[in-house]
Structure formats: C-alpha cells, structure tokens
Amino acid sequence: MGDAANIIVGTAGKAYAAEVGSTFPTGPEIAWGSDFADMGFITPDGLEEALEEERTQLDAWGEDAPVVDLAKKRTQTFKLVFRETTAQLLSLYYQVQFANMTSTAAAVGPPAKKQFISFGSGSTQDTVEIALGLDVLMSGKRHRIMIARCGVSDRGARKHSADDSSNYELTFTALAAPGGAQSVQHMITDVVLPTP
C-alpha cells in the first residue's frame, strides 16, 4: 500500500556555486560552507533533473535477445532558471572567467557615474566550470544534490521586456569529478533502505 509521506513535491529550493574541488557538506541538514555562494532566486519551474544513457548490446549466435547490455555513457543534467543578474550568472551564461571581467567603480562626479561591469564574449577555450550544490525542500524533507564538477551545456534565450525578468536558463552537465570522486551525490532525508 502506498504512503503519501513518500511523495516529494519541491515547493522550494536553492542553488549554490563554488570552485571545483570545494568540500561538500557531509549530510543534507548541514549548512553549506562559506566557499559555496547562494546563486539567488530561481523561477517557480524549479529544478529539472535528467539522466540519459548510451548503451551497447552484445548478441550471441542462436539467441533471440541480447546476452549483454552495457552502459557505455551516462549523462546527468540539471536545468534551472535564475532571476537575478549577478557576476556569477553572467560568467556562466556568457562563458567568461571572472579574471576577464572588469568592474569600474562608481564616481560621485560631477558628473556622477554608476559602477558597472564589462566583458567581451567568452572564447570557446575559456570554459567556466563550477561545483554545484542543490537543495530541494518540502515540509521538512530535503533532497540535496552535489555535483563535484559541471559546466553549462545549454542556455535558454534571454528576453528583455516589461513582461518578465531577464532570466538565465542554464542546463548544467555533470563532468568527471577530480581525483576519481563521485561526479554526483544525492542525499535524501526520510528514505529508509529495505532490510535484507
């Protein structure tokens, strides 16, 4: 018989970015370290997680079904739409390292000038990679996802209009983790393993 307590509805969530190689929390209820920066407001669409596999099947003489089915490649993606404009999101969207951005300070004038950031289009070799932390929250339950190393593999078009904020739709693809660690780790509260 089903148990409605096992249904997870992601009513809220947060995303955190850090440098690749940063240390993740050891439990889903432990606070994120100071090296993980909150990436700001996310649209109500929440998080879209996808897992795709490429498989190789081996046949055998006289058998009408494959005798071996091997996973050749597994690709995990995480799609979010961010509302705020920050240096972090500009860096990820336009693929520009912070070192290649310039911040010009405000001047009181006269004439007074506002602070501004400037950068050129990123080079295809100027790849921006981060460690990404995600929390999906619902009624005291937490699903924490930790991606040791990822990059932006797809971007939605940015719309500048009076109808909505100028959002950043980013799809992150998990990459091989440094040092042979797990590329993606999940921690989910209140899920019990069956006893053998």
Side-chain angles (χ1 to χ4, degrees), residues 95-97 100 122-128:
Q95 283 297 286
V96 180
Q97 299 282 352
N100 295 329
S123 160
T124 54
Q125 283 77 38
D126 196 20
T127 303
V128 178

Side-chain angles (χ1 to χ4, degrees), residues 88-165:
Q88 176 81 73
L89 289 168
L90 290 168
S91 169
L92 290 166
Y93 189 86
Y94 292 105
Q95 283 297 286
V96 180
Q97 299 282 352
F98 289 141
N100 295 329
M101 294 180 164
T102 302
S103 179
T104 302
V108 289
K113 295 180 183 176
K114 289 190 170 189
Q115 177 274 341
F116 65 91
I117 191 172
S118 57
F119 54 89
S121 297
S123 160
T124 54
Q125 283 77 38
D126 196 20
T127 303
V128 178
E129 295 178 354
I130 61 169
L132 180 64
L134 303 168
D135 278 339
V136 179
L137 310 168
M138 178 228 163
S139 303
K141 292 182 182 236
R142 184 182 304 265
H143 182 175
R144 176 163 285 177
I145 306 169
M146 297 163 290
I147 303 110
R149 177 176 162 245
C150 66
V152 176
S153 55
D154 195 23
R155 296 160 182 77
R158 291 194 66 215
K159 185 178 178 183
H160 304 280
S161 75
D163 297 330
D164 197 1
S165 54

Side-chain angles (χ1 to χ4, degrees), residues 15-90:
Y16 302 89
E19 289 186 17
V20 174
S22 296
T23 302
F24 285 103
T26 55
E29 302 296 321
I30 296 173
W32 292 92
S34 59
D35 46 348
F36 283 88
D38 187 334
M39 295 178 73
F41 290 121
I42 297 167
T43 62
D45 298 329
L47 169 66
E48 184 178 312
E49 178 184 359
L51 179 59
E52 293 183 12
E53 283 187 336
E54 285 183 27
R55 304 191 71 83
T56 298
Q57 295 181 337
L58 302 178
D59 299 323
W61 192 11
E63 298 295 330
D64 62 357
V67 292
V68 175
D69 185 18
L70 299 171
K72 188 175 174 184
K73 184 171 89 168
R74 191 170 284 137
T75 304
Q76 289 180 268
T77 59
F78 304 87
K79 179 179 168 184
L80 295 154
V81 182
F82 297 94
R83 286 211 185 272
E84 298 182 44
T85 295
T86 64
Q88 176 81 73
L89 289 168
L90 290 168

